[in-house]
Amino acid sequence: MDVRLIEQTCKQTPLYDVCVSILKSDSRSSKADVTGLALIMVDVLKAKATGTTNYIKTLLRGNLKGDVRRGLSSCADLYNTVLEADIPVAIEALQKGDPKFAEQAANDAGIEARSCESSFSGHSPLTESNKSVQDVSSVAAAIVR
Amino acid sequence: MLESDPSRDFSKHEDPSIAVPCSYIPLPDGPHTRELASARRMPPKRAIFKVFSGVLILALVFAIIIGGRNSDVHANGNALLATSTSSMASEPLRPVSRGVSAGVSEKANHVFSGVEVASFPWNNTMLSWQRTAYHFQPEKNWMNDPNGPMFYKGWYHFFYQYNPHGPVWGDIVWGHAASKDLIHWLHLPLAMVPDQWYDLNGVWTGSATLLPDGRIIMLYTGSTNESVQVQNLAYPANLSDPLLVNWDKYSGNPVLRPPPGIDSKDFRDPTTAWYTSDGKWNIAIGSKVNKTGITLIYHTEDFKSYELLDGLLHAVPGTGMWECVDFYPVSKTSGKGLDTSANGPEVKHVFKTSLDNDKNDYYAIGTYDEKSGRWVPDNPKIGIELRYDYGIFYASKSFYDLHKGRRVLWGWIHESDSEIADVKKGWASVQSIPRTVLLDTKTGTNLLQWPVEEVDNLRLTSREFERVEVKAGSVVPLDIDAATQLDIFAEFELDKEALEMTAQTNVEFSCSTSGGAAERGALGPFGLLVLADDSLSEQTPVYFFIAKGIDGNLKTFFCADQTRSSEATDVNKQIYGSSVPVLKDEKLSVRLLVDHSIVEIFAQGGRTCITSRVYPTKAIYGAARLFLFNNATEATVTSSLKIWQMNSAFIRPFQPGQDA
């Protein structure tokens, strides 16, 4: 594992600790160049978005107040966009060598997570998940840059 | 590299004649994916159309009958159709921070850090209004850079970066359309797809060169199977087909690989070639070395083998990667365009680059000495100074229109709404109306851009308003019936007293950091409110602002203020604009092309241009209005306007028999 590459790359992101802890604990980063590290971060983003989507589905099965249900439905749409648009675009752009679209896609994922958080007028049941997704997306966007 | 998602493997069983890997698939459940996989083995376009339209109808029916939120995902590459009829009240307008915080790239354009931005409940009525009536856009999906524009055998040709599978970037191919007049476009089949190892990962941007012997050379960037950026040669399969439907790729591609010292991902977007007296053709390609943006020049005689010149055409430290560079002559004297190879004492050369760092297009005017191959900017202190457009305008490309003897410029206008809205509406991006480009012979230091004259043919009825007085702090409605497809020409005069009496200020004004149209100055802002509703709860002010500097001189600015353009919070709310030179005895004038979600603005005959995307939720269809306004504290403004209703350009697929 090229720890120095990980540290140098993560220094250029807004959340050094988040970045380093994700990359150091992922065995794929041992063989990765910077593009590879970006792809790992996008994959982690995908996993978190998938996890949040599943959690939203679970919550929606429960007995909920109207405004919470509406917020969760809005979030379901937003996370759908992350998984269906942002992640594939980021992966394709990184693999094919036009990274600016990957940066845009990673930023968009963070925006969607933030929009989700704003969908709740009262308490949000997704604050931790949304923050986690936003953090990883800002790190991913910075690595791509 | 990560393993590819197994549910996407079915793309490898595709019909090889349509070998575009589909990355837009993505369903969480396995079995559903497989169902669509078999549907794909039908002639893919028909399958997609059947599934898409069938499901579209279903989705609409659900929306009407059930009325609750219903998301249907159609993963055969087409857009997510989330029909939402939620009765959730729209979020109260929250204060939006001014300006983009340092370090946030232009692309992260809809959120200002720290501000919460809820997703607006866009419905189909609002979204379908956003489609333009007379700007070029494909019927659906994603578009970006203009490619290879040219005129041939009576037709204007336009190619563009296109994603055939969805409204986000990906699977890029060359779309193609043709027109007799740069306005009425007819969609043609895709010109090029990634079917060779040297463009398997991208058929990217390129330019056309028309040779004197009638041959057409198309040079474009391919991203190879190993994601190396190379330049490839293509040409029409049949030069006697005026529609140039089919294209062949040179068997010896790639013709250029990244040279030593240039990264394999920093070598793209070859220009149209220009001919120099040493008998060689020259092309330019943008790149970077560390953080210095540079432009390489190559010599060629046959477009198959090339020689890299020692000198760079231009370089500016700290600007990052240069994309879509353009290099062309402009006349100092005639009001006409020049062939790309023109040169002489009456000629200046424009160098232009798209900056990857801030997603804007910049140009500089200078002198090209073809003997030494060097171009020197008139103002060497600033490496790249002026922007073509102070709103959204990127990856632009010009060409010499030999049919009418003018230089014409295309620019990619991306969306500035939320991505989820793009996915809901099923498309993203339009092109600017093509613009003629000329040197501003009165100032000598900037270009003038103006919509091509053919757009005037879309004008229907007009209304004229003579010398309307707009007192300080007032709004005047303009009674014009519909207000979503307009061509407006307006002139403004201020009362002389106010101009002389106004005190000087030492504060430097800037559109983007100002308080927008609501911030009152002695001599501005004043202008028009477009795409506004009766109650002005939504409005897009476009206006002049005159400031008197410390030296007592007046400086004029032109701005477009999106802060109140929509009640939706998930759209860009920046203020665009710049200073605009106004010469002695000139009246203040502005032309606007309003076309649903795009407003193109040309101040002082095209000295300062601003393109804005606007997404109102209420000021749409019959509810949109147009107003004059004057929010200055001291000056009275008098305005004369002519306003035309604009017809649709009926951009549609080409029909043999009907269209030719």
Side-chain angles (χ1 to χ4, degrees):
Chain A
M1 178 160 299
D2 185 352
V3 170
R4 286 195 58 199
L5 178 62
I6 292 178
E7 285 168 0
Q8 267 169 6
T9 305
C10 288
K11 276 203 182 106
Q12 305 191 44
T13 73
L15 295 163
Y16 178 81
D17 293 334
V18 169
C19 177
V20 166
S21 80
I22 288 176
L23 290 177
K24 279 188 178 167
S25 57
D26 192 310
S27 57
R28 293 171 293 187
S29 47
S30 58
K31 289 180 236 148
D33 57 5
V34 177
T35 302
L37 294 178
L39 280 163
I40 292 170
M41 199 54 69
V42 169
D43 197 47
V44 169
L45 184 59
K46 177 180 178 183
K48 286 190 182 286
T50 306
T52 307
T53 302
N54 292 336
Y55 184 47
I56 291 172
K57 283 186 190 158
T58 311
L59 290 175
L60 280 170
R61 277 185 226 129
N63 190 1
L64 301 166
K65 279 201 266 188
D67 57 342
V68 176
R69 179 167 291 279
R70 278 192 290 274
L72 285 171
S73 295
S74 192
C75 287
D77 275 349
L78 288 160
Y79 274 93
N80 220 334
T81 305
V82 173
L83 288 171
E84 314 241 319
D86 300 326
I87 303 292
V89 171
I91 294 173
E92 185 179 343
L94 283 165
Q95 287 175 337
K96 293 185 177 180
D98 198 348
K100 68 173 178 283
F101 293 106
E103 186 193 349
Q104 170 79 73
N107 277 323
D108 281 336
I111 288 166
E112 269 120 37
R114 201 173 335 198
S115 289
C116 167
E117 191 60 16
S118 300
S119 306
F120 299 98
S121 37
H123 162 73
S124 157
L126 298 173
T127 303
E128 262 190 58
S129 303
N130 284 330
K131 175 149 196 338
S132 183
V133 169
Q134 280 180 67
D135 287 349
V136 176
S137 76
S138 71
V139 169
I143 297 180
V144 170
R145 196 156 239 325
Chain B
M1 288 294 179
L2 302 171
E3 280 166 34
S4 54
D5 184 344
S7 71
R8 289 156 59 168
D9 279 345
F10 75 75
S11 67
K12 297 199 175 98
H13 304 301
E14 285 290 351
D15 175 353
S17 67
I18 312 204
V20 185
C22 181
S23 69
Y24 203 63
I25 316 163
L27 281 185
D29 348 78
H32 200 175
T33 308
R34 238 149 262 138
E35 227 173 81
L36 288 165
S38 56
R40 274 212 106 167
R41 288 194 190 107
M42 281 166 64
K45 279 182 186 156
R46 240 179 284 147
I48 291 170
F49 181 70
K50 278 187 187 157
V51 178
F52 182 70
S53 60
V55 159
L56 171 58
I57 291 166
L58 260 180
L60 286 174
V61 166
F62 266 94
I64 295 165
I65 294 180
I66 293 176
R69 230 172 231 280
N70 191 348
S71 306
D72 242 76
V73 180
H74 311 298
N76 58 0
N78 286 299
L80 173 70
L81 268 187
T83 57
S84 156
T85 54
S86 162
S87 56
M88 176 168 84
S90 56
E91 287 290 323
L93 272 171
R94 298 176 200 238
V96 176
S97 62
R98 292 274 172 275
V100 179
S101 57
V104 176
S105 82
E106 185 70 25
K107 284 240 162 172
N109 63 11
H110 14 273
V111 167
F112 302 99
S113 45
V115 176
E116 307 207 333
V117 181
S119 160
F120 186 80
W122 294 100
N123 62 36
N124 284 327
T125 305
M126 296 167 183
L127 292 176
S128 53
W129 175 87
Q130 292 174 9
R131 267 196 86 84
T132 66
Y134 58 92
H135 281 73
F136 180 82
Q137 55 181 134
E139 295 178 288
K140 57 183 176 156
N141 294 339
W142 166 276
M143 166 170 67
N144 55 295
D145 304 4
N147 296 155
M150 57 182 193
F151 178 86
Y152 180 73
K153 282 194 155 75
W155 291 90
Y156 289 96
H157 286 267
F158 181 70
F159 304 88
Y160 55 99
Q161 299 280 280
Y162 176 64
N163 181 351
H165 300 129
V168 294
W169 181 88
D171 292 342
I172 294 295
V173 301
W174 271 40
H176 184 192
S179 166
K180 291 272 185 184
D181 65 356
L182 288 172
I183 298 293
H184 295 88
W185 291 96
L186 300 168
H187 296 302
L188 293 170
L190 302 180
M192 292 198 285
V193 299
D195 56 4
Q196 303 297 322
W197 69 268
Y198 50 76
D199 60 19
L200 197 64
N201 279 329
V203 187
W204 291 346
T205 292
S207 309
T209 304
L210 273 59
L211 300 184
D213 63 8
R215 281 181 297 149
I216 297 174
I217 297 290
M218 192 72 83
L219 284 174
Y220 71 97
T221 299
S223 181
T224 68
N225 57 349
E226 290 174 351
S227 296
V228 175
Q229 291 170 10
V230 297
Q231 316 312 323
N232 300 312
L233 169 62
Y235 35 80
N238 180 2
L239 279 171
S240 54
D241 167 21
L243 289 177
L244 300 177
V245 171
N246 295 302
W247 289 76
D248 287 337
K249 297 175 183 175
Y250 168 51
S251 56
N253 278 330
V255 294
L256 271 177
R257 294 168 193 267
I262 296 296
D263 191 280
S264 62
K265 297 203 161 68
D266 293 336
F267 185 63
R268 54 185 182 272
D269 312 331
T271 61
T272 295
W274 65 94
Y275 194 74
T276 42
S277 55
D278 53 2
K280 303 266 165 66
W281 289 96
N282 302 254
I283 61 163
I285 302 182
S287 183
K288 72 171 160 76
V289 174
N290 296 324
K291 295 203 161 110
T292 298
I294 65 170
T295 299
L296 306 164
I297 317 183
Y298 287 85
H299 268 165
T300 182
E301 289 177 52
D302 59 0
F303 294 91
K304 292 174 180 168
S305 66
Y306 294 77
E307 181 203 329
L308 174 63
L309 266 57
D310 282 332
L312 299 172
L313 187 61
H314 194 33
V316 181
T319 52
M321 177 64 188
W322 283 5
E323 306 187 286
C324 300
V325 302
D326 198 1
F327 184 66
Y328 57 86
V330 287
S331 170
K332 282 158 70 171
T333 52
S334 83
K336 292 178 152 301
L338 294 176
D339 180 279
T340 311
S341 302
N343 208 347
E346 299 298 292
V347 169
K348 302 291 298 182
H349 273 74
V350 175
F351 175 81
K352 168 261 166 183
T353 182
S354 292
L355 284 194
D356 197 17
N357 280 357
D358 70 2
K359 307 302 185 290
N360 290 313
D361 281 3
Y362 293 84
Y363 73 88
I365 301 171
T367 308
Y368 176 56
D369 171 16
E370 63 139 76
K371 296 237 167 15
S372 63
R374 292 198 61 226
W375 173 82
V376 177
D378 289 345
N379 190 344
K381 281 206 208 114
I382 312 171
I384 313 257
E385 34 185 320
L386 297 166
R387 280 169 61 173
Y388 272 144
D389 189 295
Y390 290 87
I392 298 176
F393 192 87
Y394 194 65
S396 60
K397 185 177 289 300
S398 73
F399 74 103
Y400 176 62
D401 168 11
L402 42 83
H403 177 53
K404 288 199 169 180
R406 53 187 176 179
R407 179 144 300 261
V408 177
L409 178 70
W410 285 92
W412 167 39
I413 318 296
H414 63 72
E415 301 297 307
S416 63
D417 64 353
S418 69
E419 193 191 27
I420 193 172
D422 295 348
V423 168
K424 279 185 190 169
K425 72 195 190 194
W427 62 271
S429 302
V430 302
Q431 298 289 333
S432 62
I433 291 291
R435 305 171 175 182
T436 53
V437 179
L438 287 169
L439 182 65
D440 184 349
T441 49
K442 292 186 185 152
T443 63
T445 53
N446 56 269
L447 296 172
L448 292 173
Q449 297 162 65
W450 199 249
V452 290
E453 60 185 6
E454 289 89 334
V455 79
D456 301 359
N457 297 333
L458 294 173
R459 291 170 172 169
L460 300 168
T461 54
S462 68
R463 281 220 54 190
E464 279 190 69
F465 299 84
E466 290 284 328
R467 305 196 60 78
V468 179
E469 195 182 69
V470 192
K471 289 199 167 10
S474 65
V475 173
V476 175
L478 293 167
D479 177 22
I480 52 162
D481 298 327
T484 57
Q485 284 171 220
L486 301 173
D487 185 354
I488 304 170
F489 184 76
E491 285 177 328
F492 297 85
E493 276 177 83
L494 283 91
D495 62 288
K496 295 239 166 18
E497 265 178 42
L499 280 172
E500 272 150 36
M501 279 172 43
T502 297
Q504 302 149 346
T505 167
N506 58 357
V507 178
E508 179 72 13
F509 177 85
S510 151
C511 293
S512 56
T513 55
S514 73
E519 180 181 307
R520 308 189 70 181
L523 302 174
F526 58 89
L528 290 157
L529 303 177
V530 301
L531 296 171
D533 66 332
D534 275 324
S535 66
L536 297 180
S537 64
E538 290 184 333
Q539 50 173 284
T540 300
V542 306
Y543 56 92
F544 288 95
F545 187 95
I546 303 178
K548 202 183 238 188
I550 303 179
D551 54 4
N553 285 331
L554 296 173
K555 195 168 179 192
T556 308
F557 296 83
F558 196 85
C559 317
D561 177 357
Q562 299 179 113
T563 56
R564 287 171 294 169
S565 58
S566 173
E567 291 200 346
T569 50
D570 55 353
V571 300
N572 188 305
K573 298 273 176 84
Q574 286 177 292
I575 304 168
Y576 299 135
S578 154
S579 62
V580 53
V582 178
L583 303 178
K584 193 164 179 299
D585 296 334
E586 274 183 0
K587 277 197 205 148
L588 295 173
S589 74
V590 63
R591 180 177 183 185
L592 283 87
L593 293 177
V594 179
D595 185 6
H596 297 261
S597 63
I598 184 171
V599 181
E600 284 189 75
I601 305 157
F602 302 85
Q604 288 316 99
R607 281 197 192 122
T608 293
C609 307
I610 305 176
T611 301
S612 180
R613 301 300 308 275
V614 187
Y615 307 96
T617 62
K618 290 163 43 178
I620 60 179
Y621 298 111
R625 303 270 177 270
L626 182 68
F627 298 84
L628 275 168
F629 83 99
N630 175 9
N631 212 16
T633 54
E634 288 176 27
T636 298
V637 168
T638 308
S639 178
S640 299
L641 310 92
K642 192 157 184 188
I643 304 169
W644 294 266
Q645 296 293 335
M646 293 296 265
N647 202 354
S648 165
F650 302 108
I651 296 173
R652 64 191 189 282
F654 174 81
Q655 312 266 40
Q658 254 184 52
D659 294 314

